[in-house]
Amino acid sequence: MKKLSIIAMLMTVVGLLFWQPQLASADELSGHSHEPGLRYLISKNALVKDAKGSYRPNDNVTRGEFASYLAKAMNLQETSDIVFKDVPDTYLHAKDIKLAASAGIITGYGDGSFKPNAAISRQHMAIMLERAIDYLEIPKGTSSITFKDNASIIKDYRQAVAVGAQLGIIQGSNGYFMPNKNATIGQAATFIHRLMTLAGDSNDGNSNSGKPNPGDPNDGNSNGGKPNTGEPNDGNSNGGNTNTGDPNDGNSNGGEPNPGDPNTDSSKYVIKEISNGTLVGNQGFSTFADAEKAMTKNTQVIVQNDKIVKMSSGYVVTNNYVALKSETINDSIGVAPNTEMEYLSSDETQVKVRLAGQVGYLKQADVTLIPFAMSKGRSYYTNENGEIKHTLYDHKTNKYSSSYVYGKAPSFMKPGEKYYSWDGISFTNGNGSSKGDAYNYYQFLPARATTQYTAEELDAYIMQKLAEMESTGITQYKDATKKSKLIGLGKTLKEVEAKSQINAMLILSLAQHESAYGMSAHAQDLNNLFGLYVYDTNPLNKKFDSIVANINELVDKFLQPNYITPGGSPGRNFANGAVIGSKALGFNVKYASDPYWGAKIAGHYYRAEKALGFKDANNPYTIGITTTPGLNVRTEASTGNSPLFTYARSGMPVIITNSATNGWYEVLSDKLHTGTAFVSKDYVQVINTVK
């Protein structure tokens, strides 16, 4: 028997020696350092051979390819009307790029392009991966991981790199991340494989929009398919989210009670009541609908896994960068982390919010709901020595973090009192009572205005401001009066103003804000004063030949065609009013995710005015707001001529130059036009601006 067993075993071994190679014949990926990831992408039909029969694992991966890999690996399904001018429907990865853009994982450049064939660097890939992490609702926690070359990582991307490193998705070498090095197809495959493994899909063929199947008992996880990415010794397996309630509950399924434990409640949703700023009570329900029906008091909230998911009143704060699809203007709006928004309603998966009048929906995982009765602090406005000051609150640290002054305070603001506003226009007191509306002159002054300051005065102010910044002792401003890229720009700015009909002081204010007074790394190294191609998820570190070339690009490829001219470029929706504005209207709707970007630019204009004697404010333009959509602007004060252009939306600011024409206002055209323009008085409301 022993001999027969040995012979049988030998025959089996021999058989295996001959049979095993047939399972997977050697190919160019066999033994490759990124083989598991590459084969994962192949299994998802994301990676295919080229015309020469190669998977090109060592070639640089392009933006289009990486977007396609993510879309297929995550099995993205939902698309919106996002269009990129350089991604025609015939492009190989067009569908996947649109899917990834619709999911908020990628965005385009300010000129409406995506640049699908450009190579992608490791730090830019980290940004895409962080968006995917948020989409898949993989808990991130707080990371302080840094690399030896952390200073070489674009400042705004360091968090994404740290998060990716903390989760084990991206790794460096010998302590270095090498952010500017282009990533290969093999590296991209490994990153995505690690990402999807965290999401519970290393190669399991799940098809539920990239989210692991919580009903699959064989996925090896006990928390809806998400492995523990938090503290490995915390005894929980709920995606890194430790139970902030009872530390001894022994849960192991994403914070939900263990149905097999007779000492725990099997409820998924819990109604709690706000009492003295804290939550009390523990009324459990198995479904959100049941819990919602049981809410009978305004002081009650619905909680899931220690997170408030429904409340009667309060506000919403973004946990990370989000893309809000505004139903108001039918467009996606980038919103920065820590942004406060009005709470309208919510269900178990999403929250309906209003951001400066823009109504849309965000995922529960992307926001924090804060009842007014539990608020530890909110951003507010005050009248400080006759000026309006905005103080910002950091909801992560629960501390007031910064403040800025951006103009004169409106007359209804009393010193010593706090005021609140969702849009920077309408203000209330702490009780929610309306106190008045105020349009800051510099924030809502159309870009076609002409500043009264000369090139020499602009240059004098620039040097005065640089000396002030230099005197702070802050390292970034050392030798600012000698090195700043703003020095001597007065003549150029006035020439641009005359040629392009765009306010020279407005352009200077934008440059000061975006370039740290001409001293930022992008300004110094790339001649980029305006953050062009930097705010996108995968920026192009384009170096301009000169500051003049940079200004011309801002005007010719961004402001003129997209942000100022009504209608913008075909397929783009950037023209929301020719003012820097806020998230309600103007450049701020699309140019920057910071909801207070427009107000901060206005602050630079105001401080320049204050230093130079308020020439513009003392001889101001009359500003009106259109009151109806589809309003025509004409070259004559008559309906008998073809429109010069049409305002598709209401609420657009216009500069009124003459009101003497019967039934018509003469206005400055937002479309570049040397002649006169007219609009019906019936559809424009003159506003009182604060200046």
Side-chain angles (χ1 to χ4, degrees), residues 539-666:
L540 173 67
N541 284 332
K542 178 177 180 178
K543 183 171 184 177
F544 294 89
D545 293 336
S546 65
I547 292 296
V548 173
N550 180 232
I551 294 175
N552 288 337
E553 185 129 342
L554 170 77
V555 170
D556 297 338
K557 293 188 178 181
F558 289 83
L559 298 186
Q560 206 75 278
N562 289 327
Y563 289 91
I564 298 177
T565 304
S569 299
R572 309 308 294 166
N573 218 10
F574 293 162
N576 294 285
V579 299
I580 49 177
S582 66
K583 282 298 180 185
L585 60 100
F587 301 171
N588 199 172
V589 173
K590 296 286 284 187
Y591 195 97
S593 62
D594 179 359
Y596 312 122
W597 176 87
K600 292 172 183 176
I601 303 294
H604 287 280
Y605 200 139
Y606 171 73
R607 286 185 288 277
E609 276 264 81
K610 189 175 181 180
L612 294 171
F614 291 107
K615 278 189 177 183
D616 287 352
N618 290 335
N619 188 22
Y621 286 96
T622 298
I623 301 175
I625 297 289
T626 66
T627 59
T628 185
L631 181 61
N632 292 320
V633 177
R634 302 179 183 274
T635 55
E636 298 177 8
S638 168
T639 58
N641 57 95
S642 298
L644 178 62
F645 62 86
T646 301
Y647 285 116
R649 302 170 186 152
S650 61
M652 298 294 100
V654 295
I655 288 178
I656 300 171
T657 55
N658 193 332
S659 60
T661 305
N662 185 34
W664 296 83
Y665 284 131
E666 182 179 315

Side-chain angles (χ1 to χ4, degrees), residues 38-364:
L38 291 162
R39 296 207 185 278
Y40 172 76
L41 289 186
I42 293 170
S43 74
K44 293 293 184 179
N45 295 317
L47 182 62
V48 297
K49 293 180 179 179
D50 63 10
K52 297 180 180 179
S54 173
Y55 290 112
R56 304 179 296 113
N58 300 317
D59 286 2
N60 288 338
V61 65
T62 66
R63 285 165 55 84
E65 288 170 336
F66 191 66
S68 178
Y69 298 162
L70 283 170
K72 283 187 165 64
M74 297 167 65
N75 193 32
L76 299 177
Q77 302 285 343
E78 299 178 4
T79 61
S80 62
D81 56 357
I82 296 174
V83 176
F84 298 113
K85 68 180 185 181
D86 57 350
V87 184
D89 290 341
T90 55
Y91 183 74
L92 178 61
H93 303 302
K95 180 180 178 181
D96 292 332
I97 289 172
K98 190 168 187 176
L99 286 166
S102 300
I105 293 169
I106 62 171
T107 62
Y109 292 93
D111 63 356
S113 66
F114 177 67
K115 297 178 176 58
N117 296 319
I120 185 171
S121 71
R122 289 166 56 83
Q123 63 181 333
H124 301 157
M125 189 179 288
I127 290 290
M128 280 192 183
L129 288 168
E130 185 183 35
R131 294 275 185 86
I133 289 166
D134 292 334
Y135 180 87
L136 294 168
E137 299 178 10
I138 298 173
K140 296 189 296 188
T142 302
S143 176
S144 59
I145 292 176
T146 60
F147 291 93
K148 293 178 181 178
D149 53 356
N150 207 55
S152 299
I153 303 172
I154 294 175
K155 184 178 179 181
D156 292 341
Y157 298 173
R158 291 173 190 169
Q159 176 185 338
V161 172
V163 166
Q166 172 187 277
L167 296 180
I169 295 174
I170 57 179
Q171 299 174 3
S173 178
N174 297 320
Y176 291 89
F177 177 65
M178 300 164 288
N180 297 310
K181 185 176 180 180
N182 289 332
T184 66
I185 290 175
Q187 291 169 337
T190 293
F191 291 164
I192 293 175
H193 188 212
R194 291 169 181 162
L195 168 75
M196 298 310 297
T197 298
L198 273 180
D201 178 11
S202 59
N203 197 7
D204 62 3
N206 287 341
S207 59
N208 55 337
S209 300
K211 297 178 183 179
N213 182 356
D216 183 356
N218 299 315
D219 67 359
N221 298 311
S222 57
N223 61 336
K226 296 176 184 177
N228 181 4
T229 56
E231 170 59 56
N233 297 318
D234 65 4
N236 297 315
S237 58
N238 58 337
N241 294 327
T242 56
N243 185 345
T244 56
D246 182 355
N248 298 315
D249 67 355
N251 291 339
S252 61
N253 60 340
E256 298 174 24
N258 185 345
D261 185 346
N263 297 316
T264 61
D265 184 356
S266 62
S267 305
K268 185 175 183 180
Y269 298 95
V270 177
I271 288 184
K272 293 180 180 288
E273 187 160 1
I274 304 171
S275 177
N276 296 322
T278 61
L279 295 178
V280 298
N282 200 33
Q283 185 181 5
F285 299 88
S286 59
T287 68
F288 180 88
D290 289 341
E292 190 173 32
K293 290 177 183 177
M295 287 184 71
T296 58
K297 301 178 183 178
N298 290 336
T299 54
Q300 290 177 324
V301 299
I302 298 177
V303 175
Q304 181 186 27
N305 299 341
D306 297 307
K307 173 182 169 65
I308 295 175
V309 294
K310 186 174 180 64
M311 57 190 179
S312 297
S313 64
Y315 57 99
V316 179
V317 177
T318 50
N319 299 332
N320 42 57
Y321 175 95
V322 296
L324 175 69
K325 181 62 182 294
S326 170
E327 295 181 340
T328 309
I329 62 173
N330 191 31
D331 196 11
S332 292
I333 300 172
V335 185
N338 201 52
T339 296
E340 298 173 4
M341 297 173 287
E342 292 179 84
Y343 171 81
L344 299 180
S345 63
S346 58
D347 59 25
E348 62 265 48
T349 62
Q350 60 185 3
V351 182
K352 188 176 184 180
V353 300
R354 181 160 47 219
L355 171 63
Q358 312 280 4
V359 175
Y361 292 85
L362 293 172
K363 295 177 183 178
Q364 284 278 9

